[in-house]
Every structure is written in structure tokens, then in C-alpha cells.
Amino acid sequence: MKTIDLGFGSSFMPTAMVTGANRGIGLEMVRQLLERGYTVHATYRSDRGGLERLSCQDLVLHRVDVRSGEDIAAALASMGNSLDLLVNNAGVADGRWTTVADIDFDVVSTVMEVNAVAPVRVTQHALPLLASGGGTVLMITSLMGSIGDCASGRSYAYRASKTALNMFTTAMKNELRDQDISLLLIHPGWVETDMGGPNAPIQAEESVNGIMARLDEQTLEMTGRFVDYAGTNLPW
């Protein structure tokens, strides 16, 4: 946990924002950040889901469509002057089409907008708050976005969206490093969530435990790295 000593026996507790926080990895991120003493601003698009079961004075809920700059700006306006951690977790799956001929490009547009563009939009809006204290931006990405690892193909839109997110993040790392903002791309593993399905071998708690360990070790010099939740470097 990041705690800044202000003297006179007081301390400043850190603030985090987690998008797509109503279930799965996002919900577990919120739970563990609260345990670490963070004030957590958690976003959901329409359904609060598991956030309804978290009762804590340090949890603030925001109804946000991450495709909406107005929604994002309104949520950030309530967070004070600084943001220590931004977790861009919100995402959607694609149609898992079996052939190129099956691709629905309306779905592709939505997947690209939510998975690749929206995290950059949220980060853009959050930059003033992140820069004021030297914050960290965590992008929840996927090994499926790795071009070097793409042997099976398919999942066209989802793969392309995560590859685009990886490139957006890599392209901005030097600029944000100059503002003391560190970027971290993490593949959470194949996790048993609504998106991951019931056959996934990893539970959300195990994945997020690993993600937290990666955040603990993250430094400005590590900005832009692409790793899995266990810390293994992944191929681009």
C-alpha cells in the first residue's frame, strides 16, 4: 500500500479508479485495493453487480460508459486533486467467429472502441490527476493481443483490440514517463469470470494477488512492460 507520511502522526491514503468494476477481475481489484487502505472509485456501465455487496466508506460508485468523455469527466471531477492508480479494466468479448466471412463489423467497432480506445480516453481525462502525484496506469490486456503468440488465430476483434491497446500504451509511455506516470500492461491469465467462462483454471483472487504484486514492484523505469499476472515477460 502506498502511504505518504505527512508528519504529525498523519498519513495520506492513496486513491484508485477501477473501470468495469462490477464483476470478475475488476470487482476483485476493488476488494483488494480497499483492503490495502485505498479510497476506490469504481465504475460500472449499467448494473452495479457485485459492488452492491461491498459496504465501505472508502468506496465510491460511478455509473460510467467508458465510451463517453462526459461520463468519465464527471467521475474524475469528484476525486480531488490526485489519482495514484488508474485501472483500465472495462472490456467486452467479441463474437468468436469461426471464419473471416462470419465477422460482424458492427461488433468489431464496439470491441475496438471499448477495449482499445476507451482506456486511452480514460487515461487522457485522468492525466492531470495522475501527473500531480506521479501515478500508475494499469492496462488489463491479454496474451491474445500478442502477435508473436497468435498461433491459433480467430477471436479477430478481441485480439486486434488488445494489440491496439498494447500499441497505444507503448506509444505513450515516454511522454507519460516525463510526467512521472508509469504504465503497466498485464495479462491476468485465463480467469474464471463471465468472459473467461467456467473452464478457466485461474480464480479472480489468484490473478489479482499476482497483479497486486506486479503493482508493488512497478517503478517508473519499468514503464510500458507487458507481463502476465505472475510477472513473466510476454512476447509482443
Side-chain angles (χ1 to χ4, degrees), residues 45 64-72 110 113-114 118 121-122:
R45 187 171 65 87
V64 171
D65 186 330
V66 291
R67 297 170 294 181
S68 167
E70 291 183 357
D71 284 4
I72 297 163
T110 298
E113 176 69 16
V114 174
R121 179 181 290 111
V122 175

Side-chain angles (χ1 to χ4, degrees), residues 180-201:
D180 293 329
I181 299 170
S182 182
L183 296 164
L184 175 58
L185 286 156
I186 284 192
H187 165 55
W190 182 14
V191 182
E192 186 181 339
T193 62
D194 288 350
M195 187 181 294
N199 296 322

Side-chain angles (χ1 to χ4, degrees), residues 4-67:
I4 303 172
D5 186 6
L6 301 178
F8 307 104
S10 64
S11 63
F12 172 76
M13 305 309 291
T15 300
M17 178 181 182
V18 182
T19 67
N22 60 326
R23 60 186 180 182
I25 293 168
L27 181 61
E28 182 63 19
M29 286 288 301
V30 170
R31 189 187 69 78
Q32 292 200 26
L33 286 167
L34 288 171
E35 286 184 350
R36 286 172 167 236
Y38 276 76
T39 295
V40 180
H41 293 262
T43 82
Y44 63 96
R45 187 171 65 87
S46 57
D47 177 12
R48 293 187 178 190
L51 291 169
E52 294 278 14
R53 299 190 295 273
L54 296 179
S55 177
C56 179
Q57 64 180 1
D58 296 320
L59 174 62
V60 184
L61 304 185
H62 303 271
R63 184 168 183 169
V64 171
D65 186 330
V66 291
R67 297 170 294 181

Side-chain angles (χ1 to χ4, degrees), residues 29 85 88 141 181 189 202 221:
M29 286 288 301
L85 174 64
N88 282 305
T141 184
I181 299 170
I202 303 169
E221 289 69 32

Side-chain angles (χ1 to χ4, degrees), residues 74-214:
L76 287 164
S78 69
M79 295 184 195
N81 298 320
S82 67
L83 181 63
D84 300 283
L85 174 64
L86 170 60
V87 181
N88 282 305
N89 170 72
V92 293
D94 62 14
R96 299 295 173 108
W97 307 286
T98 58
T99 70
V100 173
D102 293 330
I103 294 175
D104 181 332
F105 286 97
D106 289 335
V107 175
V108 170
S109 295
T110 298
V111 173
M112 294 297 291
E113 176 69 16
V114 174
N115 292 0
V117 177
V120 183
R121 179 181 290 111
V122 175
T123 302
Q124 181 189 63
H125 280 273
L127 281 179
L129 300 184
L130 290 162
S132 69
T136 299
V137 179
L138 168 60
M139 303 289 198
I140 300 296
T141 184
S142 174
L143 180 60
M144 292 179 72
S146 167
I147 294 174
D149 187 72
C150 185
S152 62
R154 300 183 181 177
S155 297
Y156 299 102
Y158 187 80
R159 287 184 183 277
S161 71
K162 293 302 186 178
T163 303
L165 175 60
N166 290 357
M167 179 55 81
F168 268 125
T169 304
T170 301
M172 73 173 80
K173 71 176 183 180
N174 291 335
E175 177 188 350
L176 270 58
R177 180 174 55 203
D178 291 343
Q179 300 177 47
D180 293 329
I181 299 170
S182 182
L183 296 164
L184 175 58
L185 286 156
I186 284 192
H187 165 55
W190 182 14
V191 182
E192 186 181 339
T193 62
D194 288 350
M195 187 181 294
N199 296 322
I202 303 169
Q203 297 299 308
E205 183 176 2
E206 177 186 354
S207 175
V208 174
N209 283 341
I211 292 171
M212 290 297 184
R214 306 290 73 77

